[in-house]
Structure formats: C-alpha cells, structure tokens
Amino acid sequence: MTSTTALDDAAARALDDPAAAISSLPWLEASLADDAAAGRFAAWGRSTVIDENVGEAVIPRPLFDELHERAGLEATWPVGNAGLLHVYGYLLSTTPTPYGLKRERWLSGELERACGLEVGALLPWAGTETLLARATAVASALLARADAVTEVAEGRTARIALGTPAPGGTAALAYAVDGRIVTIFPVADPAALRAGLGAPRLRWNAA
C-alpha cells in the first residue's frame, strides 16, 4: 500500500536522488520495468514537461532523465514520452497548476468516475496491471468513440475525445496526436471545453 505521503517523500527525494526516489516506491520501479519490457510506451506520443498553464517544468530534469532511462527510452529535455511523463512523472510532481497537482487525476477518483470505472480502478499501486496499461486501455476506448473530434494542426492530425459525462457532469478527455496518446484527464465542464477549443493547435503539452 502506498499513500500520498509516500509520493510526497519520493517527490522531495527526486530533486537530489531520482533513482532512490523511484526505488522507494517498489510498485513504481516494477511498473516501469514491466511497461518497458512489454513495449507499452510505444502507444504514447511526445510531450513537453513545460506546462502550458504555468510556464515551467512540472518535474525536475534529473527525474525526467531517470524515468526515461528506466523505461529504456531516448529523450531530450524537455520533450519526452507522454505516457511516461503524464502517467508516472506526474505522480511525483509537486508543481501547483490552476487545476491542482498533476497527480490528482490518478488519485482523486474523479477520472475513474468519469470513465464509469470502479473506485480504485486507476490507483497507481492497485490491481494486477500497471497504471500505464490501464490508462492506455481507457484512453484508447475514448479515442475510438464515433463522436471524437479530429483536427489538423501544424501538419499533424490530432483527435480529441470526450466521454459521456458522469452524474456530476465530469467527463473524461483523451487526446492523441498522429495516432499516439498524449494525455487523459477529467474535465469538470465538457461543454465549456468544447466551446473554448478555438482554432486547431497542438494541445495539452503535446510536442
């Protein structure tokens, strides 16, 4: 069992010793190895760690480098594998954003509810599959929806999919560029998001 306190401790340690930080969370260490061996990161595209809302990196460079080394992936700061960063990197992010900490999508239960999943279905340390495997399955199902929006930006094809809103109104959003997943997160007001999309562009830290 893990707690947010353990994540906080690991995030603090990651500033100086990212290898020790990851090793302090055995489920994370095992997940990275399992996902790398299974080639699961290939389903995900590229993302920058410089958040578009706050204009700064949401994880430190040493952690960025350590995560990619563990995953067996080449990356040049600040652009790396979106699955690695949005799923595992965000868990160790302590950078405040207008929507709270990045990790909350995996911890609060809001995304689970929006996806119609059981409580705890997306907890990072729960279940028999890695969080990346579960996130990939959920995002892929959303992106397969007939009502997903396709747009072309900077010569690249992106897909925006919003799920059916949960009773509270929150919907799950999945985003992909050139056929590869970039992110998945809960949206409190999906109608407002649709109305505010504006002209096509690369979104949600895609690179």
Side-chain angles (χ1 to χ4, degrees), residues 8-201:
D8 286 338
D9 290 345
R13 186 179 296 185
L15 295 172
D16 299 314
D17 193 345
I22 293 171
S23 295
S24 72
L25 302 170
W27 58 267
L28 175 56
E29 191 170 42
S31 293
L32 289 167
D34 189 69
D35 290 330
R40 295 189 186 102
F41 294 108
W44 292 74
R46 308 288 285 174
S47 175
T48 175
V49 295
I50 308 300
D51 184 72
E52 61 188 35
N53 289 301
V54 298
E56 63 182 83
V58 294
I59 63 171
R61 183 167 184 172
L63 178 58
F64 174 96
D65 292 337
E66 181 68 22
L67 285 169
H68 282 88
E69 182 176 344
R70 298 265 187 147
L73 299 170
E74 295 288 336
T76 302
W77 173 269
V79 175
N81 182 270
L84 182 65
L85 296 173
H86 289 233
V87 176
Y88 297 127
Y90 283 2
L91 290 173
L92 298 179
S93 173
T94 58
T95 301
T97 78
Y99 307 99
L101 293 177
K102 294 286 193 177
R103 71 175 67 161
E104 286 306 308
R105 71 189 61 182
W106 307 118
L107 302 179
S108 70
E110 192 173 14
L111 182 57
E112 296 165 352
R113 291 189 293 273
C115 293
L117 301 175
E118 295 181 358
V119 175
L122 293 177
L123 273 179
W125 47 85
T128 57
E129 294 184 304
T130 68
L131 177 57
L132 187 78
R134 288 173 278 154
T136 301
V138 172
S140 297
L142 284 168
L143 290 163
R145 290 176 60 99
D147 60 355
V149 174
T150 298
E151 60 181 21
V152 177
E154 301 178 25
R156 302 171 71 186
T157 302
R159 193 164 173 84
I160 303 167
L162 280 163
T164 302
T170 299
L173 181 145
Y175 180 61
V177 175
D178 296 334
R180 294 189 175 183
I181 305 163
V182 172
T183 193
I184 179 172
F185 57 88
V187 176
D189 190 342
L193 183 138
R194 285 192 189 94
L197 285 175
R201 63 179 177 83

